[in-house]
Amino acid sequence: MSAEDMLARLVAFPSVAGRPNGQIVGFIRDWLGAQGVVCHYLPGPEGDRANLFATIGPPDRPGYVLSGHLDVVPASEPGWQADPFVLRADGERLIGRGACDMKGFVAAALAMVPDLVDLSLTAPIHLALSYDEEIGCRGVPHLLAAMPGLCAPPAGAIIGEPSDLTPVLAHKGKAAIRLSAEGVAGHSSRPDQGINAIHALVPVLDAAVRQAAALQSGPQDPRFEPPWSSLQIGTLAGGLAVNVIPDTAVAELEARAIAGVDPAGLLAPVTAAAEAAGVEVETLSAYPALALPPDHPLAGLIARLAGKAPLGAVSYGTEAGLFQAAGIPAVICGPGTIARAHKPEEYLTRDELHGASAMIRRLGVSLCG
């Protein structure tokens, strides 16, 4: 199956994050099995989602992981010109939800499997396909926990997020929380008979705003844009009408941390304020920053395979930091650009798709004895 045909098959699965992914997982599992590749089905605790892990070559030797996520963001934007879950061509553009972020990389890797099988690798290439990356890399920790029983410690991981096939050595970490306040409803003319849940959130949100301002003068890393860690209130909901005392209020916040800074720690002033105000705190997601030294052998290898000098850092996050925290060096390198992700008419070009396939084949060739 060509990379374009594979991409069309993958895009056709509406594998939106947070939903069951059995159909796309089943398709890939069956296809890999048809190529003679053993594929490990790794269900998550949710019960309706799973990761996949497959190995081409000897699993008892250090090799390299090709990591990608199978989930996509919703495609409800009004700017789509056709069904976002039907891949269509417009000149060199291959348009569809997930074409760039990041089913293109997954399609390139899967399309190369028959070639990799024929190469008789002396060191393995692993496929690590995860779920719910778009809502906080929720599937990858379970995949990483299973890997020691499936293969020798890998020498490195390539995370195929869109980077214009340029190796990226660092990204920010992230932690996100939900704040929930409970009150007592009533008529606004009698505030003495109710408890305003929105008012309960105000001191906590004030702590978040103050922390966001303070971070701008905190530790700096010029590789990132902006060069400081950041915090923002992303959503706020509560209340039914102006004359009703709101009995619930909910806000969601995130912190993004430069390398070397714990993203969850950035939220400490907020969680302390929440505890003092009696506001519930729920962790939504958390993953660490990535920081691969420029002189690391993995950086040099991927630069040679991609034919491009490494880029110091990006501000978006990936599962690369989780691989690094698990002791597996990681680098980002995938087709397309992040500027096209999460937008209507998301696309990948044919040259980008085939470029990713060629890079993966070069990796395979480099692992032949």
Side-chain angles (χ1 to χ4, degrees), residues 54-344:
T55 299
I56 304 105
D60 58 344
R61 298 183 182 181
Y64 293 91
V65 178
L66 303 178
S67 178
H69 61 85
L70 300 177
D71 59 301
V72 297
V73 296
S76 55
E77 312 97 320
W80 288 97
Q81 301 301 305
D83 187 340
F85 294 107
V86 176
L87 189 73
R88 73 183 197 278
D90 181 4
E92 287 299 303
R93 296 183 176 190
L94 302 172
I95 303 168
R97 173 55 84 219
C100 182
D101 184 15
M102 60 177 296
K103 290 179 176 179
F105 178 78
V106 176
L110 292 174
M112 275 294 104
V113 166
D115 286 29
L116 297 177
V117 170
D118 289 343
L119 285 174
S120 299
L121 304 176
T122 58
I125 292 178
H126 309 285
L127 302 179
L129 306 178
S130 61
Y131 68 88
D132 285 3
E133 187 274 347
E134 295 289 5
I135 51 177
C137 298
R138 295 184 181 179
V140 168
H142 308 297
L143 189 154
L144 288 169
M147 279 177 56
L150 303 177
C151 66
I158 303 169
I159 315 303
E161 288 284 355
S163 70
D164 195 27
L165 283 177
T166 299
V168 175
L169 306 183
H171 69 61
K172 289 186 175 182
K174 177 183 173 180
I177 59 174
R178 177 181 292 124
L179 305 172
S180 301
E182 297 291 331
V184 176
H187 197 284
S188 61
S189 67
R190 292 299 308 271
D192 55 312
Q193 295 182 349
I195 299 175
N196 191 304
I198 294 177
H199 289 187
L201 274 188
V202 169
V204 189
L205 300 181
D206 179 63
V209 172
R210 287 187 280 110
Q211 173 70 338
L215 291 175
Q216 296 186 34
S217 56
Q220 308 276 308
D221 187 332
R223 294 176 299 172
F224 295 102
E225 295 179 351
W228 57 80
S229 299
S230 62
L231 186 152
Q232 78 142 4
I233 303 165
T235 69
L236 179 62
L240 297 174
V242 71
N243 61 346
V244 177
I245 298 171
D247 60 351
T248 61
V250 178
E252 294 180 342
L253 294 75
E254 69 163 27
R256 293 184 181 263
I258 60 174
V261 175
D262 175 24
L266 298 176
L267 292 166
V270 181
T271 56
E275 182 178 357
V279 170
E280 179 183 350
V281 179
E282 175 189 357
T283 298
L284 299 177
S285 62
Y287 55 79
L290 168 71
L292 186 73
D295 59 353
H296 194 282
L298 180 63
L301 171 64
I302 305 307
R304 291 191 298 274
L305 296 177
K308 295 183 179 182
L311 178 67
V314 293
S315 292
Y316 61 82
T318 77
E319 69 265 30
L322 290 167
F323 274 89
Q324 179 178 262
I328 303 170
V331 64
I332 303 166
C333 192
T337 69
I338 200 67
R340 301 180 205 146
H342 302 189
K343 292 182 178 180

Side-chain angles (χ1 to χ4, degrees), residues 2 35 166 185 189 213 216 312 318 349 352 361:
S2 72
Q35 315 311 311
T166 299
S189 67
Q216 296 186 34
T318 77
T349 70
E352 291 166 340
R361 179 174 174 78

